[in-house]
Amino acid sequence: MRAARSGTKDGLEKTKMAVMRRVSFLHKKDHSDDTEDDTGYLDVMVSEAKHPPAQLGPMPDGLSSLQIVRRHILGSIVQSERSYLDSLKRILQEYQRPLMEAEPRILSVRKIRPIFFRLWEIMQCHSMFQIALASRVAEWDSCEKIGDLFVASFSKSMVLDVYSDYVNNFTNAMALIKKACMSKPAFLEFLKKKQASSTDRITLYGLMVKPIQRFPQFILLLQDMLKNTPTGHVDRLPLQLALTELETLAEKLNEQKRVADQITETQQLARCVSDRSLSKQLNSEQSSLILCDTLIETVYGERGQVLKSKERKVFLFGDMLICANINVKGPPDISSLVPVGPKYTLKWSAPLQQVQVVEVGQEGSQTKDTLYQLGGIKRSGSSLGSGSIFLGPPRLYQELQELQHDLSVVEQVTLLVGTLQGTYQNLNTTIAQDWCLALQRLIRIKEDQIQSANKCRLRLQVPGRPDKSGRPVSFTVVFNTPSPVSKISWVNRLHLAKIALRDENKPGWFSAEDDRKTKAPFWCPLLACRMPAFTSKAQECKLEAALHSPVQCALLGFSAASTSLPQGYLWVAGGGDSTQGQVDIFSLNRPTPRPVKSLQMGARVRCLEYVPEPTPSEDAETGPHNSTGVGNTICVGLDDGSILVYGSMDTAAQCLVTLRNPEGCPVLCLKHSGNFLFAGLRDGMLMVYERHHGGELWNQDSCRKVTVGSDPIRTLLALEDKVWASCANTVTVVDGSSLSTQRFEVHQDPMVSVAHMVRAGGGVWMAFSEGSSIRLFHTETLEHLQEINISMPSSFYNPSQKSMRVTSLLICQGLLWVGTAQGIIITLPVPKLEGIPKITGKGMTSLNAHCGPVDFLVALSSSLSPDLLKRDSMVEGHDSACGVEDRSDSSSQESLQQPSISTQVDGKGKGRGGVLLQYRLRSTSGLPGRPLTARGDEASDSSLESLEHSMEDGSIYELSDDPDMWVRGRPCERDRVRRDRVTSVAVISGGKGFRRLREGSVATTAESTLMIWQLPLTV
């Protein structure tokens, strides 16, 4: 057992070999009555007398505050693991054993084994972990190390295998229990008695769901431990590696569960479909379920009253949308013991391409394009103009129109009152103006009510049967979503599902190890569009750099933001020769970038850097409303050695200041950190500029120089208060304030230089000027952790080229994007939490490529205002369901500029004692599998039935909403802020031309081209 106690990486393997030779409390499992799947596992029969549970000793004197917190967290780990093992033993001893030994039989052995499949093996894994944990806890005060123990215990394939089998079988086990309860009264009575006799009254289901919750609980505990582990501590790197292992394990289980749930839900729907062709289509391998949710369909009368409302199950597949009635669920005495899945009756189905999301109340703003997009069908309303589309309850709109009419009348009255010759009491211009102001306030209130109501109303225009003359007919359905987040998620998924049907995304990615399992269309990024990078006059410009300049206030409203690119502006830079350069600026407030401005430079542009407006914490002399009003800035590095500082597009992108180095050496890279701007030069010199005292612009006179080497500084990377500068085959770590340096070698060949660096979590990935390898280094110990060769089959590139060469790197939403000199883009999965960003799975190759090197990869990201996600006036039974959305850019922007209410949200959140994790189950097929952030108990359950795999930091699954299985964590201000956010993400690549791989297609154009990949909204 020494190997397990030491926590070495192969400790579990050594332990198994050791105990097979000498230890008597382990023995080979008797397989006479079991299936072949059970071979190779060991029964762990741990005697508590020989191996007592882990027990943390008395706290010694003289501990620091962090050491005390770490001891408390360790105590939580010990207590949590002990409780988990007790639950596993309880299932086996109080349920499985009595059922196996019952005479006469309550259930046959053939049914009992699938119900408790792999539970014994899971208990084995955690019994081994318990032994090692007890040893480590006993010596905690001398070593204070726990991360390596988690790596040793849970990084083995055996753990993934047994948990995968259990998670994939869970839905089947619940279905067996449900069927047995309905067909075997003795079994139902057995479950009731067991629950009634238990002190906590937890059901069998409540116990069996605990293995699915286990790794999210571990992740939360280790995140707390890492947060309270100082830099340089011996346990810091092991904890980061442990987080990586646990997140990887949880992600794999989540993906397998998603696939299993997808198949189960689709098969359940297919069994309820009488149409053979549709049933065959659902059962085909091409059928891909993206999202399913329970929504409330509402039917309104002419005066806006609710005529009826009913729950519907809506299924979004890759090529169709299906709505089904939910039939009555099982008997209440059974549903209280185990989740009972509903049966469906098909209501309607429609091809996805013919389904349109309709936002109403856009009076006077409907364009011909919009009408064409809606199928050219207009609906007439009793009081609306001929150019408007009228759907849903008219009451709010009628009231708004009446107020607008009254306001126009009162304005005319005010003008007439002003022409009165005499003076009259209560009849003067001041009173008339007060009437106008009062009506304007009422109009604003009514507009807010309309907007708020629209946040939870999903309106779809669906094709129906042709009329008698054969003309196409469409009808509109109105669904009430449980939350604004659910509504915006549906709009986004419908939008991306249509993009996935385009030729360039069928398929869009290739994996050499493709296991042919069912995947959601959003499993890979979707190519949304491609376009020229420069105007027609500058087609010969070579792409050099790009950046995303976000905007302070979104230009789009609630629903349009879910179908558009992340808000802001895209700056694209390049140059033809040393005497000229160009920067083109694109607006991103539409699904396709739109050029808005072009800046001509006196020299070739080498690099760009976005610098956000300084905050008071960064500059104590600068208040939040500084008189200079510079705001966000963009720094442009040129080949002539100058740095141009531009204001953002909000200030018309004017050049504010020019910084020059005396030697005129080209500026190859720029990076800001705090109040400093770092510029890497070709001669190996690092220029450091500081902000003006009390201002926001960089000071030319404050320039300091740091000699990094004699070779060019090719890339810079900011890490908290330090900056990494690459020079040849070394990287120099520069302290942001003192400018002290530390150098370490990252490649053994002095002729190879570091070309690109990206950071995620506790690691930095580096690419080099030669070769197809990328390397991972730890940010704190500078230790080399991993090396990956990204070479691929020669069928994708010219065999005459010796090897792949990396020309760009990017980490975004759990993917490491790698651009190559051959124009090919590769993505590799990496963890998203605070761990080490090790490559944890197979890579994917984009079948959409450039014809030349990938010059840059840049991520676009923006968050929807939390104000827009609040259900201000939405209450149950509210019959005013329609709303105005995106009347115009100006009106939407005005609504977004209202005072923020985030402080009220935070204040409300502080009243809770902790974060409540919950997993709400509506059917046996909606079981754990969706990664979500820890949410409060006020969180909506609207998206919990979604099978879509979305990415968030925090816990990997939501946990059970059964009061007996609530897990309360420590309050986290960051989680409270993130809970209200909806983030839009896209990735843009730049290079020469465009081509499709594996189709023998030639380049469509040789001009510089941008390709835009869109990712699903993260909620």
Side-chain angles (χ1 to χ4, degrees):
M1 305 308 295
R2 187 179 305 165
R5 293 192 185 100
S6 65
T8 55
K9 190 170 184 179
D10 57 346
L12 198 58
E13 296 290 337
K14 292 182 179 180
T15 300
K16 289 198 299 183
M17 298 299 297
V19 297
M20 285 297 295
R21 290 195 301 267
R22 296 189 298 271
V23 182
S24 60
F25 62 85
L26 296 181
H27 59 83
K28 269 290 187 181
K29 191 171 185 177
D30 182 11
H31 302 291
S32 58
D33 297 328
D34 288 329
T35 62
E36 295 180 359
D37 290 339
D38 292 334
T39 58
Y41 293 103
L42 301 171
D43 280 354
V44 183
M45 303 174 63
V46 180
S47 169
E48 290 196 4
K50 293 184 178 179
H51 302 279
Q55 186 69 37
L56 194 59
M59 184 182 300
D61 298 330
L63 296 182
S64 66
S65 59
L66 285 179
Q67 288 177 310
I68 294 175
V69 173
R70 281 171 55 84
R71 277 182 64 92
H72 285 307
I73 298 173
L74 179 65
S76 298
I77 294 174
V78 171
Q79 181 181 1
S80 173
E81 183 65 13
R82 185 184 306 167
S83 174
Y84 179 58
L85 266 176
D86 290 342
S87 297
L88 295 177
K89 293 176 182 177
R90 183 171 163 184
I91 297 173
L92 297 175
Q93 294 175 4
E94 297 184 13
Y95 286 90
Q96 185 188 40
R97 182 182 295 175
L99 287 172
M100 295 290 289
E101 297 175 353
E103 291 294 342
R105 289 280 186 185
I106 300 176
L107 285 181
S108 65
V109 176
R110 184 172 55 87
K111 292 183 179 179
I112 296 174
R113 284 177 179 157
I115 292 176
F116 303 100
F117 185 59
R118 291 297 188 231
L119 274 170
W120 190 266
E121 288 78 12
I122 289 177
M123 192 177 71
Q124 291 177 5
C125 296
H126 286 270
S127 296
M128 303 290 284
F129 176 65
Q130 175 83 341
I131 296 172
L133 181 63
S135 176
R136 185 60 59 88
V137 168
E139 56 188 26
W140 174 258
D141 293 314
S142 60
C143 68
E144 286 197 16
K145 194 175 181 182
I146 193 70
D148 58 338
L149 186 61
F150 279 89
V151 174
S153 300
F154 298 110
S155 61
K156 302 304 177 184
S157 60
M158 182 181 71
V159 179
L160 175 62
D161 292 342
V162 296
Y163 268 96
S164 295
D165 290 343
Y166 181 82
V167 169
N168 293 338
N169 180 68
F170 190 83
T171 299
N172 179 54
M174 295 299 105
L176 287 173
I177 294 175
K178 170 197 168 184
K179 188 175 181 180
C181 287
M182 300 179 68
S183 61
K184 302 282 186 179
F187 180 66
L188 179 59
E189 190 64 24
F190 171 80
L191 294 182
K192 288 182 178 180
K193 288 183 177 180
K194 286 295 181 182
Q195 181 190 7
S197 62
S198 62
T199 57
D200 51 16
R201 300 185 64 82
I202 296 182
T203 62
L204 174 60
Y205 164 75
L207 293 171
M208 291 187 65
V209 80
K210 287 182 179 290
I212 299 176
Q213 304 170 354
R214 191 64 194 132
F215 291 109
Q217 292 169 341
F218 273 150
I219 289 173
L220 292 175
L221 289 168
L222 290 188
Q223 282 180 314
D224 279 351
M225 184 70 84
L226 180 62
K227 188 186 304 181
N228 292 280
T229 303
T231 302
H233 194 283
V234 66
D235 199 24
R236 189 160 177 85
L237 178 57
L239 280 173
Q240 291 173 323
L241 291 171
L243 268 176
T244 298
E245 295 292 345
L246 291 176
E247 183 188 357
T248 302
L249 179 59
E251 286 284 356
K252 289 179 179 178
L253 294 177
N254 186 70
E255 174 64 15
Q256 293 178 8
K257 182 60 181 172
R258 185 195 64 79
V259 173
D261 283 347
Q262 180 190 58
I263 295 172
T264 301
E265 192 76 66
T266 303
Q267 290 176 348
Q268 186 175 359
L269 176 63
R271 286 193 294 267
C272 303
V273 173
S274 58
D275 188 342
R276 290 188 176 181
S277 61
L278 180 58
S279 179
K280 184 178 180 180
Q281 187 178 357
L282 291 174
N283 288 320
S284 65
E285 292 184 359
Q286 288 74 26
S287 177
S288 176
L289 181 61
I290 300 171
L291 183 63
C292 68
D293 206 350
T294 301
L295 306 178
I296 307 297
E297 182 180 359
T298 309
V299 179
Y300 299 95
E302 294 182 356
R303 291 179 296 176
Q305 74 276 20
V306 176
L307 297 181
K308 65 175 182 177
S309 61
K310 189 174 182 180
E311 279 192 345
R312 309 289 188 196
K313 191 76 169 185
V314 185
F315 301 83
L316 173 60
F317 288 87
D319 56 354
M320 76 177 83
L321 187 70
I322 295 177
C323 178
N325 292 326
I326 302 176
N327 294 341
V328 179
K329 302 181 181 180
D333 56 342
I334 296 179
S335 59
S336 64
L337 296 173
V338 62
V340 179
K343 293 184 179 180
Y344 305 122
T345 302
L346 180 67
K347 184 172 176 62
W348 53 261
S349 64
L352 188 61
Q353 292 283 32
Q354 300 180 29
V355 177
Q356 301 292 340
V357 177
V358 181
E359 295 296 347
V360 298
Q362 302 173 351
E363 293 185 49
S365 63
Q366 291 291 337
T367 63
K368 294 181 179 179
D369 295 337
T370 306
L371 295 175
Y372 175 78
Q373 183 182 8
L374 297 177
I377 301 174
K378 295 183 181 180
R379 305 257 178 164
S380 60
S382 58
S383 60
L384 298 183
S386 59
S388 63
I389 293 180
F390 176 79
L391 296 169
R395 188 171 66 83
L396 281 178
Y397 296 111
Q398 291 177 353
E399 293 176 356
L400 178 62
Q401 289 173 345
E402 291 171 358
L403 288 171
Q404 292 172 340
H405 173 268
D406 293 347
L407 177 61
S408 63
V409 172
V410 171
E411 287 175 344
Q412 295 176 11
V413 171
T414 303
L415 294 176
L416 293 175
V417 169
T419 62
L420 294 175
Q421 299 295 324
T423 302
Y424 306 96
Q425 186 178 6
N426 295 332
L427 187 59
N428 54 53
T429 306
T430 303
I431 293 178
Q433 290 176 348
D434 288 342
W435 295 346
C436 292
L437 292 174
L439 285 170
Q440 290 172 356
R441 284 195 297 270
L442 290 174
I443 288 175
R444 284 196 296 270
I445 292 173
K446 191 62 60 178
E447 288 176 341
D448 291 342
Q449 290 176 350
I450 290 174
Q451 186 181 35
S452 179
N454 193 52
K455 293 178 184 179
C456 296
R457 296 297 186 267
L458 175 66
R459 298 170 184 82
L460 301 177
Q461 192 174 50
V462 181
R465 296 179 180 178
D467 59 13
K468 294 181 180 180
S469 62
R471 291 180 300 179
V473 175
S474 64
F475 61 94
T476 299
V477 291
V478 180
F479 292 110
N480 180 20
T481 62
S483 70
V485 170
S486 176
K487 189 262 179 80
I488 201 172
S489 296
W490 269 98
V491 176
N492 177 254
R493 298 309 193 267
L494 286 164
H495 172 70
L496 293 185
K498 293 181 180 180
I499 294 179
L501 293 175
R502 298 175 184 172
D503 291 340
E504 55 266 29
N505 291 311
K506 297 174 59 179
W509 296 81
F510 167 79
S511 173
E513 303 175 6
D514 196 346
D515 54 9
R516 298 184 180 274
K517 289 185 179 179
T518 307
K519 297 185 181 70
F522 309 144
W523 196 78
C524 301
L526 297 171
L527 182 62
C529 60
R530 52 187 171 88
M531 58 181 297
F534 297 108
T535 59
S536 57
K537 298 179 180 179
Q539 296 298 332
E540 300 302 322
C541 285
K542 181 185 181 303
L543 288 172
E544 292 288 350
L547 61 78
H548 176 224
S549 173
V551 291
Q552 296 294 328
C553 176
L555 299 178
L556 295 180
F558 181 76
S559 294
S562 63
T563 58
S564 300
L565 295 173
Q567 299 301 285
Y569 296 92
L570 176 69
W571 293 52
V572 179
D577 52 40
S578 59
T579 61
Q580 64 177 357
Q582 180 173 327
V583 175
D584 278 13
I585 305 175
F586 297 84
S587 172
L588 300 176
N589 63 346
R590 289 187 172 90
T592 303
R594 177 174 55 94
V596 293
K597 193 168 186 177
S598 182
L599 305 175
Q600 300 300 320
M601 304 293 169
R604 181 177 179 180
V605 180
R606 287 288 191 173
C607 53
L608 298 171
E609 174 70 359
Y610 170 75
V611 183
E613 183 177 6
T615 61
S617 59
E618 292 177 354
D619 187 353
E621 301 289 337
T622 304
H625 303 286
N626 189 271
S627 58
T628 58
V630 175
N632 304 325
T633 54
I634 290 87
C635 300
V636 183
L638 302 182
D639 219 16
D640 61 1
S642 60
I643 301 173
L644 307 182
V645 181
Y646 282 85
S648 64
M649 277 300 295
D650 297 334
T651 57
Q654 299 294 323
C655 184
L656 306 176
V657 68
T658 300
L659 307 175
R660 303 183 185 276
N661 64 76
E663 296 79 10
C665 189
V667 180
L668 301 185
C669 50
L670 290 168
K671 190 63 64 176
H672 85 282
S673 178
N675 285 325
F676 298 95
L677 177 67
F678 295 82
L681 308 184
R682 179 181 288 173
D683 60 3
M685 193 69 67
L686 183 66
M687 310 292 289
V688 185
Y689 299 91
E690 190 172 1
R691 291 186 187 274
H692 280 296
H693 181 71
E696 297 181 356
L697 294 178
W698 313 106
N699 188 355
Q700 174 78 49
D701 300 331
S702 66
C703 178
R704 292 179 288 174
K705 299 181 180 179
V706 178
T707 302
V708 176
S710 57
D711 293 290
I713 300 177
R714 300 191 58 171
T715 183
L716 295 171
L717 181 67
L719 301 177
E720 283 82 36
D721 56 346
K722 293 181 173 57
V723 172
W724 289 24
S726 71
C727 184
N729 64 333
T730 64
V731 170
T732 301
V733 181
V734 182
D735 185 86
S737 55
S738 65
L739 299 186
S740 59
T741 61
Q742 177 186 1
R743 181 178 301 178
F744 66 103
E745 185 178 289
V746 297
H747 200 283
Q748 65 278 9
D749 189 351
M751 301 303 295
V752 174
S753 59
V754 180
H756 306 280
M757 295 188 293
V758 290
R759 183 259 183 103
V764 173
W765 279 101
M766 298 183 186
F768 305 93
S769 58
E770 301 293 338
S772 58
S773 294
I774 55 177
R775 296 183 178 182
L776 174 65
F777 291 84
H778 191 223
T779 57
E780 298 170 12
T781 65
L782 310 181
E783 180 182 348
H784 180 204
L785 301 176
Q786 191 179 22
E787 181 169 359
I788 297 293
N789 192 313
I790 54 95
S791 60
M792 62 185 66
S794 59
S795 58
F796 285 146
Y797 62 94
N798 190 347
S800 62
Q801 296 172 324
K802 295 182 180 180
S803 66
M804 303 287 289
R805 180 172 62 86
V806 178
T807 58
S808 53
L809 279 180
L810 173 70
I811 289 183
C812 178
Q813 294 287 357
L815 289 176
L816 173 62
W817 294 65
V818 182
T820 66
Q822 288 75 18
I824 299 172
I825 296 173
I826 302 167
T827 61
L828 300 162
V830 294
K832 300 178 288 294
L833 301 183
E834 302 92 325
I836 303 299
K838 295 173 62 178
I839 303 298
T840 56
K842 60 188 178 184
M844 302 288 291
T845 302
S846 173
L847 298 180
N848 299 293
H850 292 284
C851 302
V854 181
D855 294 314
F856 60 75
L857 289 164
V858 61
L860 316 179
S861 178
S862 66
S863 296
L864 196 65
S865 170
D867 304 20
L868 297 180
L869 301 179
K870 288 182 64 65
R871 288 179 73 177
D872 298 326
S873 61
M874 289 299 300
V875 294
E876 289 298 327
H878 199 296
D879 61 352
S880 303
C882 279
V884 176
E885 192 58 51
D886 302 335
R887 293 180 296 274
S888 66
D889 285 353
S890 60
S891 62
S892 299
Q893 185 171 2
E894 182 180 353
S895 66
L896 290 173
Q897 289 174 339
Q898 295 174 356
S900 174
I901 54 175
S902 59
T903 56
Q904 300 175 9
V905 176
D906 292 343
K908 180 180 178 181
K910 291 178 182 177
R912 296 190 302 270
V915 179
L916 184 66
L917 309 179
Q918 48 183 310
Y919 189 91
R920 189 178 301 274
L921 297 169
R922 298 272 184 166
S923 69
T924 56
S925 58
L927 293 171
R930 187 165 187 254
L932 292 170
T933 298
R935 301 162 67 133
D937 49 8
E938 81 285 353
S940 165
D941 62 303
S942 61
S943 58
L944 303 187
E945 293 176 7
S946 167
L947 301 183
E948 172 57 18
H949 186 119
S950 65
M951 291 165 278
E952 276 286 337
D953 54 2
S955 63
I956 303 302
Y957 302 94
E958 287 200 346
L959 306 182
S960 174
D961 72 338
D962 189 323
D964 295 320
M965 285 157 300
W966 285 351
V967 178
R968 190 165 295 280
R970 281 154 293 282
C972 179
E973 188 66 27
R974 182 197 64 179
D975 289 340
R976 270 199 293 271
V977 174
R978 291 187 57 86
R979 193 185 307 128
D980 293 330
R981 283 192 175 182
V982 172
T983 303
S984 175
V985 178
V987 172
I988 295 184
S989 68
K992 284 287 186 182
F994 169 81
R995 61 189 173 109
R996 284 279 293 175
L997 303 180
R998 298 183 65 189
E999 295 180 359
S1001 60
V1002 297
T1004 58
T1005 177
E1007 65 183 6
S1008 296
T1009 303
L1010 302 178
M1011 290 196 292
I1012 297 96
W1013 277 270
Q1014 201 162 351
L1015 284 75
L1017 291 176
T1018 57
V1019 180

